[in-house]
Amino acid sequence: MKEIILIKNGELVLKGLNRSTFESMLMKTIRRRLHDLGKVSIRSAQSTIYIEPVDEEFDFEEACERVRKIFGIAAFSRCAALNKDMKEILSVTPSYVSSALSNAKTFKVIAKRSDKAFPFTSPEIAREVGGAILSKMPHLKVDVNSPDITVLVEIRDYAAYVHAGQIQGAGGLPVGTGGKATILISGGIDSPVAAYRMAKRGLILNAVHFASPPYTGPLAEKKVKTLLSKVAVYSGDIRLGIVPFTQIQEAIAENCKEEYFTLIMRRMMMRIAERIAMDTGSKALITGESLGQVASQTLPALAVTDVVTKEIPVLRPLIGMDKEEIITISRKIDAFETSILPYEDCCTVFTPKHPRTRPTLEECAKAEEVFDFEPLIEKAINETVYSRITKDGEA
């Protein structure tokens, strides 16, 4: 008996004439994610992607775990691929699905016959397979309305495929179909979740992190790289730029009114991130801001920071989410425990006691124009250090 993985494309079926492009990108991602597990054949037919091991060395268990985390896959099934022979189907199916049915009380069989040359109709297949299962597992009962487990038998072009239900995939769109964007990554809970959510919409991710030594240390940078590696499990590799931000923050503290410290700092970050993003081919910035969560995330505060990005849009996937919703996703992607490690990031340096929550553009611009920040911005961009983050850490 041969075992394969059948993949359902989900949202890709809505893409009309562009569907083949999206499917091709998804298959390319699957090949890249599975390449080190052994030889495998990947093909597409009848709105389904087939992953078929070519040799016995292929790590099937690990393949299923990786497939579960690939964006663009709505669901997948671990299947027995059988000859289109009714005797073989009736012989193999009960033993193949026995583990899935061992703790169930009820089941039903659904048969789908896309190959109309097969000499049994779908109802006949379902009835015969159901009988074979009951003969081996008499503790079960058939429930066609709300069974504990549904066994599917699909008679397709090359084989008959048997599986006991689907495994939920990561959903979304294949990474790369939406272009490229740059995430402003801190060491907190929000920005890794924002990165994950935008990768789920098909974006290739770059990242920038602002470091302020000696106020922030190497452990803070290590934390950020660990967080990005959690995202990279889903998104693929991420190019990270570490921006030296100390001199800019010190200049803000020495020259600007305290109540505007955070706003001016955010404006500097957005200016720098936009230039780096454009230099690396990104078409948007991504932030982890949620409306009203902190003083710099009120509508007026967001307005005065957005205005400095003139060439590309700013995406805020968490803008309408509350903290519990964000934490739920952070836990899902295994980032939460790292995010709450107590290492300082530059956003907590020189925090004003009473930050301005309802600033106007004119006020903020006036508070900022007391010092010429442009030479420091250029210096920070030129001294940015780049690395590549994979699911296993820094490459």
Side-chain angles (χ1 to χ4, degrees):
M1 181 195 72
K2 182 181 294 185
E3 200 168 23
I4 72 165
I5 299 172
L6 289 184
I7 289 176
K8 303 295 184 181
N9 296 341
E11 194 174 340
L12 270 62
V13 302
L14 305 176
K15 295 303 175 184
L17 296 176
N18 293 321
R19 178 174 167 179
S20 61
T21 301
F22 280 73
E23 194 171 79
S24 175
M25 189 75 73
L26 176 56
M27 292 173 67
K28 187 182 297 184
T29 299
I30 294 170
R31 287 191 183 95
R32 187 166 60 248
R33 299 284 182 90
L34 304 184
H35 80 279
D36 62 332
L37 299 182
K39 293 182 179 180
V40 63
S41 169
I42 300 172
R43 63 184 177 86
S44 175
Q46 297 177 310
S47 303
T48 302
I49 293 174
Y50 299 72
I51 301 176
E52 183 175 345
V54 173
D55 59 41
E56 294 182 358
E57 302 302 316
F58 185 75
D59 190 338
F60 204 90
E61 297 292 337
E62 177 62 19
C64 288
E65 182 60 24
R66 293 188 188 182
V67 164
R68 190 173 63 83
K69 296 176 181 178
I70 295 175
F71 290 133
I73 297 175
F76 67 96
S77 301
R78 186 170 179 165
C79 305
L82 309 176
N83 292 317
K84 289 189 285 187
D85 175 79
M86 197 63 175
K87 288 184 179 180
E88 182 174 339
I89 293 170
L90 295 177
S91 172
V92 173
T93 298
S95 59
Y96 184 72
V97 301
S98 61
S99 60
L101 292 170
S102 60
N103 294 320
K105 294 181 179 180
T106 61
F107 81 107
K108 75 173 179 179
V109 178
I110 294 177
K112 298 180 179 180
R113 186 184 59 138
S114 58
D115 179 2
K116 301 305 180 185
F118 191 71
F120 292 83
T121 65
S122 294
E124 288 172 339
I125 298 168
R127 184 173 62 250
E128 293 294 323
V129 171
I133 291 172
L134 285 172
S135 69
K136 300 292 185 181
M137 288 170 275
H139 71 281
L140 292 170
K141 292 183 178 180
V142 174
D143 183 344
V144 297
N145 295 315
S146 55
D148 295 333
I149 300 292
T150 298
V151 176
L152 287 94
V153 181
E154 302 185 50
I155 312 298
R156 290 175 172 257
D157 47 1
Y158 294 106
Y161 302 100
V162 175
H163 54 99
Q166 295 183 332
I167 302 167
Q168 186 175 359
L173 298 172
V175 171
T177 57
K180 186 185 295 184
T182 294
I183 175 76
L184 281 75
I185 186 83
S186 69
I189 297 170
D190 301 336
S191 53
V193 174
Y196 164 85
R197 283 176 61 85
M198 294 316 302
K200 187 173 182 177
R201 300 313 302 162
L203 289 177
I204 296 170
L205 296 177
N206 286 340
V208 292
H209 173 68
F210 294 87
S212 293
Y215 307 105
T216 63
L219 288 177
E221 290 187 26
K222 182 180 178 181
K223 177 183 177 182
V224 164
K225 292 174 181 178
T226 300
L227 288 172
L228 286 176
S229 72
K230 305 290 186 182
V231 177
V233 170
Y234 297 87
S235 69
D237 296 357
I238 301 170
R239 186 174 191 250
L240 168 66
I242 302 289
V243 181
F245 202 56
T246 307
Q247 289 183 316
I248 292 175
Q249 285 196 284
E250 289 177 339
I252 293 170
E254 292 169 5
N255 295 281
C256 303
K257 292 182 179 179
E258 183 182 359
E259 62 184 322
Y260 292 100
F261 281 2
T262 302
L263 291 168
I264 295 173
M265 178 192 71
R266 294 290 298 173
R267 284 160 64 92
M268 297 299 160
M269 287 180 171
M270 298 299 275
R271 288 187 176 101
I272 292 169
E274 182 180 44
R275 296 189 199 180
I276 290 175
M278 294 179 67
D279 287 344
T280 54
S282 289
K283 302 301 182 184
L285 296 178
I286 306 167
T287 74
E289 291 157 318
S290 172
L291 186 62
Q293 188 176 123
V294 295
S296 63
Q297 295 175 21
T298 63
L299 278 179
L302 293 175
V304 300
T305 55
D306 263 10
V307 74
V308 302
T309 54
K310 302 181 183 301
E311 302 296 331
I312 57 177
V314 179
L315 308 178
R316 294 186 170 93
L318 312 187
I319 196 68
M321 299 178 69
D322 62 36
K323 201 65 177 183
E324 286 305 313
E325 292 172 314
I326 297 168
I327 288 173
T328 297
I329 299 175
S330 179
R331 292 186 187 278
K332 173 184 174 181
I333 64 175
D334 192 31
F336 181 74
E337 296 301 326
T338 302
S339 292
I340 61 175
L341 292 174
Y343 305 134
E344 293 284 344
D345 63 50
C346 70
C347 293
T348 60
V349 178
F350 306 123
T351 302
K353 293 180 180 179
H354 303 289
R356 189 77 166 164
T357 59
R358 298 184 181 277
T360 66
L361 178 58
E362 292 76 14
E363 291 172 347
C364 205
K366 185 176 180 180
E368 186 183 294
E369 67 185 11
V370 298
F371 185 83
D372 181 10
F373 288 96
E374 185 57 32
L376 293 182
I377 290 173
E378 287 289 340
K379 186 172 185 290
I381 292 172
N382 292 334
E383 294 179 358
T384 295
V385 176
Y386 293 94
S387 61
R388 182 167 61 91
I389 308 300
T390 74
K391 65 181 179 62
D392 299 314
E394 187 173 6

